[in-house]
Amino acid sequence: MSVAALILAAGRGLRAGGRHPKQYARLGGVPLIRRTVEIFLNYRGKNGSQVKSVAPVIVVVNPADAVLYRQALGDLADKILLADGGATRQESTLNGLHLLKTQRPPPSYVHIHDGARPFVSHDLLDKVHAALAPIYGLVPVLPVAETLKRLDAQDFIAETVPRGRLYAAQTPQIFPFAAILAVHEQAAAAGRTDFTDDSALAEAYGLPVKSIAGDSRNIKITWEEDIAMADSLLQQSGQSEAAETKPLFPDIRTGNGYDVHSLGTGSGVVLCGVRIPCSLALQGHSDADVALHALTDALLATCGAGDIGSHFPPSEQEWRGAASEIFVRRAAEIVAQKGGQIVNVDITLICEAPKIAPYRAAMAENLQTMLDLAAGRVSIKATTNETLGFIGRGEGIAAIATANVYYQ
């Protein structure tokens, strides 16, 4: 019997505060989505479970968050499959199910789980796996404890809703794979997009769903205060079973890069992706952006990934006249694939001309966008060479770059 896991992490989830979706927030120093993924990757069935392990694991991610995802998952990214998120939760789920359909053979069952629930326990998975049956789905539920009120259009209490037999649904919800795929495809064909979870969709299209006792610790991170509460739970438990072993000291690495290009006559130079109109031009195979070349080397240095020439050889015509932003973004991807998160970057430009100060803010904004960094994590400085040497004679521009990267 094979069981797969489909983890939904494509939502924008900004209600929990911060600049990024909640699934990339850190709990106890570990990205939330990584904790969730580890639960399923590390599962080994016991206590009457019919399932030995969960595989494959698919994470559904907004394509715009590809860099965040790689940074958060680090070394785990190569152990799971990735599907693109859709406009709705329902569409994202169907995208993931379609990817599972391509597996040979497809799984017998599939967990569908919220990426923002990082505390699902192996005990709960054991309990679910012990109750599997090919004719229905299973959903963990908890009895509703609060008194429920229905409000009218003016927000006055219209009635009290009896809470007997009322339960709150959790995830993971597990279904026979072929059956849940069929009902999702039926809903999509009918244009239905209003289901808030998969058990509601299954119910609407005739797939029976049975409840099983949930776990009060299996909370969903939604609001900013939820993150603080989750951190408190981790402290009380001495880290969850999904947390990775932490080194004694954080693995923060520093990389340096240096580059220089000669100057000739022209109509402008490109530095940090910003074109500066002047009577000069930097000479080089690409756009000769000396600052971004140095930064590319600095990023690659943090994970021993060679230098810019080994990834983008000047002998290849593909890179003739290329925008150097391509090089920086690729270096950032390599860092993310190695489990790195860029902490800050610093660039010093050394030249007699052109003047850098009027363009410094635009350069910094470019780097913030390229690397998805906050303003305070990007520094750009400029100095002259006091008329000394080839730089002092106006024959070229040099750049020194430093990057600090935290590796998990």
Side-chain angles (χ1 to χ4, degrees):
M1 178 187 302
S2 59
V3 175
L6 181 56
I7 299 174
L8 302 175
R12 303 320 293 147
L14 298 176
R15 288 177 291 180
R19 297 173 57 239
H20 304 308
K22 62 191 176 186
Q23 54 269 34
Y24 303 109
R26 288 180 172 270
L27 298 180
V30 179
L32 188 158
I33 185 62
R34 182 182 173 103
R35 286 188 178 276
T36 304
V37 168
E38 282 185 321
I39 290 165
F40 292 93
L41 285 179
N42 294 339
Y43 174 77
R44 300 294 180 268
K46 54 185 180 180
N47 300 328
S49 170
Q50 304 176 63
V51 179
K52 294 182 179 180
S53 61
V54 175
V57 175
I58 291 179
V59 180
V60 186
V61 175
N62 189 310
D65 295 336
V67 172
L68 285 173
Y69 162 80
R70 278 285 179 179
Q71 291 174 340
L73 270 292
D75 60 313
L76 299 185
D78 295 329
K79 299 180 181 180
I80 60 180
L81 300 176
L82 184 64
D84 285 344
T88 64
R89 182 189 189 279
Q90 207 171 308
E91 186 178 335
S92 292
T93 304
L94 186 55
N95 287 352
L97 292 173
H98 280 159
L99 180 55
L100 272 177
K101 186 179 179 180
T102 67
Q103 302 301 299
R104 292 294 178 265
S108 306
Y109 295 86
V110 57
H111 285 288
I112 303 176
H113 186 61
D114 297 323
R117 286 187 189 267
F119 296 118
V120 57
S121 68
H122 287 175
D123 286 343
L124 178 58
L125 294 182
D126 284 338
K127 187 164 55 175
V128 168
H129 293 158
L132 288 177
I135 57 173
Y136 54 72
L138 281 167
V139 176
V141 298
L142 290 176
V144 174
E146 291 83 2
T147 298
L148 301 178
K149 304 291 183 179
R150 181 174 286 111
L151 306 184
D152 63 19
Q154 288 75 44
D155 291 335
F156 286 95
I157 294 175
E159 64 173 314
T160 297
V161 180
R163 66 187 184 199
R165 305 300 297 171
L166 283 182
Y167 291 80
Q170 298 182 322
T171 67
Q173 301 180 0
I174 191 167
F175 304 91
F177 173 70
I180 194 64
L181 174 61
V183 297
H184 260 281
E185 289 180 334
Q186 289 178 53
R192 294 286 303 273
T193 61
D194 54 325
F195 296 104
T196 57
D197 76 346
D198 301 281
S199 63
L201 188 152
E203 175 190 350
Y205 284 89
L207 173 60
V209 182
K210 186 176 182 179
S211 68
I212 193 165
D215 185 343
S216 60
R217 297 166 298 178
N218 183 22
I219 62 172
K220 183 178 180 182
I221 305 298
T222 302
W223 307 101
E224 188 171 3
E225 53 267 31
D226 293 340
I227 294 177
M229 181 172 64
D231 271 324
S232 176
L233 285 173
L234 286 172
Q235 291 173 6
Q236 293 172 18
S237 65
Q239 299 290 316
S240 74
E241 62 185 341
E244 62 180 347
T245 302
K246 293 296 178 187
L248 182 60
F249 300 105
D251 186 6
I252 298 178
R253 309 176 196 174
T254 300
N256 293 312
Y258 172 82
D259 197 31
V260 61
H261 282 279
S262 61
L263 279 167
T265 57
S267 59
V269 300
V270 177
L271 295 170
C272 294
V274 175
R275 184 170 183 80
I276 302 176
C278 61
S279 60
L280 302 169
L282 284 165
Q283 309 301 305
H285 186 66
S286 62
D287 63 2
D289 190 329
V290 64
L292 295 190
H293 292 184
L295 178 58
T296 300
D297 276 349
L299 291 170
L300 294 172
T302 65
C303 55
D307 60 16
I308 189 171
S310 60
H311 293 273
F312 308 99
S315 58
E316 294 185 4
Q317 291 303 305
E318 179 182 0
W319 311 119
R320 180 171 291 280
S324 295
E325 178 177 341
I326 296 170
F327 310 153
V328 173
R329 288 187 179 275
R330 177 56 185 151
E333 288 178 2
I334 292 171
V335 165
Q337 289 166 8
K338 300 284 189 179
Q341 181 174 356
I342 300 169
V343 177
N344 73 294
V345 296
D346 174 49
I347 295 175
T348 299
L349 291 162
I350 310 167
C351 59
E352 303 297 325
K355 294 292 185 184
I356 303 301
Y359 303 95
R360 185 181 290 129
M363 293 177 182
E365 288 178 6
N366 266 5
L367 289 180
Q368 291 165 40
T369 300
M370 282 181 220
L371 302 175
D372 194 26
L373 291 176
R377 296 184 180 273
V378 173
S379 170
I380 297 175
K381 309 186 297 296
T383 187
T384 69
N385 221 38
E386 298 292 342
T387 72
L388 300 175
F390 72 91
I391 294 175
R393 294 191 298 270
E395 296 172 4
I397 296 178
I400 300 171
T402 302
N404 290 302
V405 179
Y406 168 65
Y407 283 88
Q408 302 181 66

